């Protein structure tokens, strides 16, 4: 983005010689323009969407926003610029001079010399209306247009920043990022409520199943992360803090009524990270343990495939324990499907544990957004898969 | 990770007073231990997997690796420690003293005082064999164990670092990260070779389709990214470098023979980023343009839904062009399904463009790995969905 400092440097460099009139105007973001403390006629070009139009007898006022700032830039133009095309929602490119604004509402405004309409907007048909604060439920009908509003634009930006922060946290803590698969033949939680994946009828494959076996959208990457606990053997302080340093950030699907959305889960095996300290108890899933262990209220978790065999994960893997797990899987009729799971425990298993955090629930919590559909760029749920 | 510097600091702090014998040994990674320049009997604890066992009359040599380094740490123990359990592949915890090694092969070795087997390994049944350099095709049969080898462990680490670098690049360039959906009702490329997603028979829903319409695994997030070009209006220099600052990093599926794997694509709309300079021409997809525009060989791309209407993306969206697109979609019978796509062009469209890069192809290229299945943690392809 072309910031204010950049612009000032560019302008300063031409201050010793008179700027020729034909020098192209420096492009500046709305944020950059608004950040200039004492505007003095700098020639700039601003691109953005019209957020308001006010037409007076001799002057035309536009507010232009490009997404770089919640605030818009006031454009002041001669009324001769007025045109039906300068409508709410249209995208424009404005060239002119940045000057000190006579109004107290803003420091700076753009005196237009040239206004070009880049993309017309049929403001009557545009579902986003001028000056209206649309309810989130209303905007949900227009997933292709709602990012043009302040609220959704902000939510998506916070989502992006939160994603980056989580990636940074794990990277800085020495974790390895693993892309766990979206398609799986595992039925991890035994829930049976899964989405099946099959080639559409247009694909000609002689077999009944493209992959030879039925496959599903994953409901959890935890088993795949367990596999990856073999990538490094790291600090093991106690069972709930033992680290296999890998994590994933993969969408997961459950088909039950409460979690039918695409969910991005932050999963990791290892030390309890910073952001789980003070994790809201109300959002705590059943498998997270309430530590109640100090001034900072923390939760921790070990998520187990087979309940009651927690001791398998810590300490030495003695033969009798292995056989206990073997028999349990046999009783469930899972021996063949989960031979690999037994294998992990046959060939030098190490203590490991972890937890999952619903990324969207986390976003709801920090943003105060009631409905999970409003923190997902393109939500999918029963009866709805728009776009 | 407990690095060498950390360890030395800890050791220095107790050098003024004699260390009591019962003080717990400081845990150190193999990398940390190997990094100590002049070992002098420091008491440490190392955890890792046994990579080799050599039993002599009076001495037992082990090589222990924890994934923190390609090199292993030599453990020297009295032959009384020898046991059937100390086998290739077992996980162990070794306490002892770090000393200067008499051999020239290594600077430092660990004189064992205590060796605990954490997880036994049935070395006979373990598919990874001592001292063997297994072909990648062989290891592919064991996706749950192959991360224990040097080669796959390294590939997964480079994959993790590359992911982080790409995220950083886009973040530092001011892009917004968008999670594009995995399930979609769009048939983006019109290929018709798609994977359909439906609730498994166990889910009781009265409707034929859970989402009311047929849905598929996405083959491209490009249309969803186009939607998000409405989030910010940014620098537009020329059509191929016009930026709508968002990108995605989502798995995509095609069912054709060459791309049936899960592919992670880096998609973005905007300025051509650094890593596309010198992008190998051999890997250039059809829609990337060869710029041949200077000493640095660059490629660029605009990927269009409707071929031949490239001009729609640049400059002002004139009415006749909109009608051209409208008629084209009508001829293809897509008017209803793509009304949202027309909407984007009705309500203040801005110039935008982008390209996609196959992340796995990129990894293959920088790592010199022939088969794409070896750079994917859990590859899925025809007749195979292991784990």
């Amino acid at each position: 983005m072309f910031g204010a400092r950049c612009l000032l440097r560019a302008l300063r460099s031409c201050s010793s010689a008179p700027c020729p009139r034909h020098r192209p105007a420096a492009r500046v973001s709305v944020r950059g323009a608004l950040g200039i403390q004492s505007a003095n006629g700098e020639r700039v070009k601003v691109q953005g969407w019209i957020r308001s139009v006010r037409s007076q007898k001799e002057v035309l006022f536009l507010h232009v926003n490009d997404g770089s700032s919640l605030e818009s830039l006031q454009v002041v133009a001669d009324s001769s610029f007025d045109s039906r095309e300068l409508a709410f929602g249209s995208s424009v490119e404005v060239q002119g001079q940045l000057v000190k604004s006579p109004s107290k509402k803003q420091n700076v405004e753009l005196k237009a010399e040239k206004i070009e309409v880049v993309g017309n907007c049929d403001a009557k048909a545009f579902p986003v209306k001028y000056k209206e604060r649309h309810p989130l439920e209303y905007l949900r009908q227009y997933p292709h247009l709602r990012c043009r509003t302040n609220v959704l634009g902000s939510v998506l930006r916070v989502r992006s920043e939160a994603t980056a922060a989580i990636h940074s946290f794990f990277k800085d803590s020495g974790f390895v990022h693993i892309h766990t698969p979206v398609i799986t033949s595992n039925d991890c939680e035994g829930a049976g409520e899964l989405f099946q994946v099959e080639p559409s009828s247009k694909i000609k494959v002689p077999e009944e199943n493209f992959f030879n076996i039925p496959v599903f959208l994953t409901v959890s990457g935890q088993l795949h992360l367990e596999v990856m606990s073999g990538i490094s053997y790291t600090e093991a302080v106690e069972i709930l803090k033992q680290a296999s340093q890998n994590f994933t950030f993969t969408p997961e699907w459950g088909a039950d009524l409460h979690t039918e959305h695409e969910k991005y889960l932050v999963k990791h095996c290892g030390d309890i990270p910073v952001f789980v300290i003070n994790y809201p108890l109300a959002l705590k899933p059943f498998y997270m343990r309430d530590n109640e262990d100090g001034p900072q209220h923390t939760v921790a978790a070990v998520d187990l495939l087979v309940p009651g065999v927690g001791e398998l994960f810590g300490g030495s893997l003695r033969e009798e324990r292995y056989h206990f797990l073997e028999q349990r899987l046999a009783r469930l009729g899972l021996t063949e499907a989960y031979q690999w799971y037994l294998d992990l425990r046959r060939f030098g298993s190490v203590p490991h544990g972890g937890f999952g955090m619903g990324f969207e629930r986390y976003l709801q919590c920090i943003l105060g957004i009631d409905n999970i559909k409003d923190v997902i760029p393109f939500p999918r749920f029963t009866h709805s898969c728009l776009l």
Side-chain angles (χ1 to χ4, degrees), chain A residues 26-92:
Chain A
R27 191 189 166 275
V28 66
S29 69
V30 166
R31 185 169 57 174
L34 293 172
I36 292 177
Q37 289 305 316
S38 48
N40 195 19
E42 295 88 346
R43 294 198 63 244
V44 298
K45 181 166 74 181
V46 168
Q47 297 168 319
W49 289 277
I50 295 179
R51 283 289 177 89
S52 81
V53 187
R54 193 153 48 91
S55 182
Q56 291 186 352
K57 204 180 169 192
E58 294 186 349
V59 197
L60 176 73
F61 293 99
L62 302 176
H63 277 100
V64 173
N65 191 295
D66 63 357
S68 65
S69 161
L70 278 181
E71 243 183 291
S72 299
L73 177 68
Q74 173 156 293
V75 173
V76 186
D78 189 274
S79 60
S80 64
F81 280 107
D82 208 353
S83 126
R84 199 178 45 87
E85 283 191 317
L86 294 180
F88 173 74
S90 295
S91 56
V92 291

Side-chain angles (χ1 to χ4, degrees), chain A residues 278-313:
Chain A
N278 295 325
Y279 191 83
L281 276 182
L283 301 183
K284 180 179 78 70
F286 70 93
Y287 51 78
M288 269 190 169
R289 201 185 67 173
D290 189 339
N291 282 337
E292 294 177 18
D293 57 353
Q296 278 174 314
H297 200 137
T298 63
V299 289
V302 178
D303 200 347
L304 303 176
L305 176 70
V306 186
V309 290
E311 65 272 31
L312 274 173
F313 286 78

Side-chain angles (χ1 to χ4, degrees), chain A residues 2 7 10-11 14 19-27 43-45 95-96:
Chain A
F2 200 5
L7 174 70
L11 294 169
C14 75
C19 275
R21 185 74 178 156
H22 61 269
R23 178 185 261 268
R27 191 189 166 275
R43 294 198 63 244
V44 298
K45 181 166 74 181
Q95 280 192 37

Side-chain angles (χ1 to χ4, degrees), chain A residues 102-119:
Chain A
S103 159
K104 277 186 179 165
K105 282 190 190 163
Q106 60 266 324
N107 278 330
V108 72
E109 61 187 30
L110 180 59
K111 236 177 104 180
E113 292 167 354
K114 187 179 164 195
I115 302 179
E116 192 194 339
V117 174
V118 176

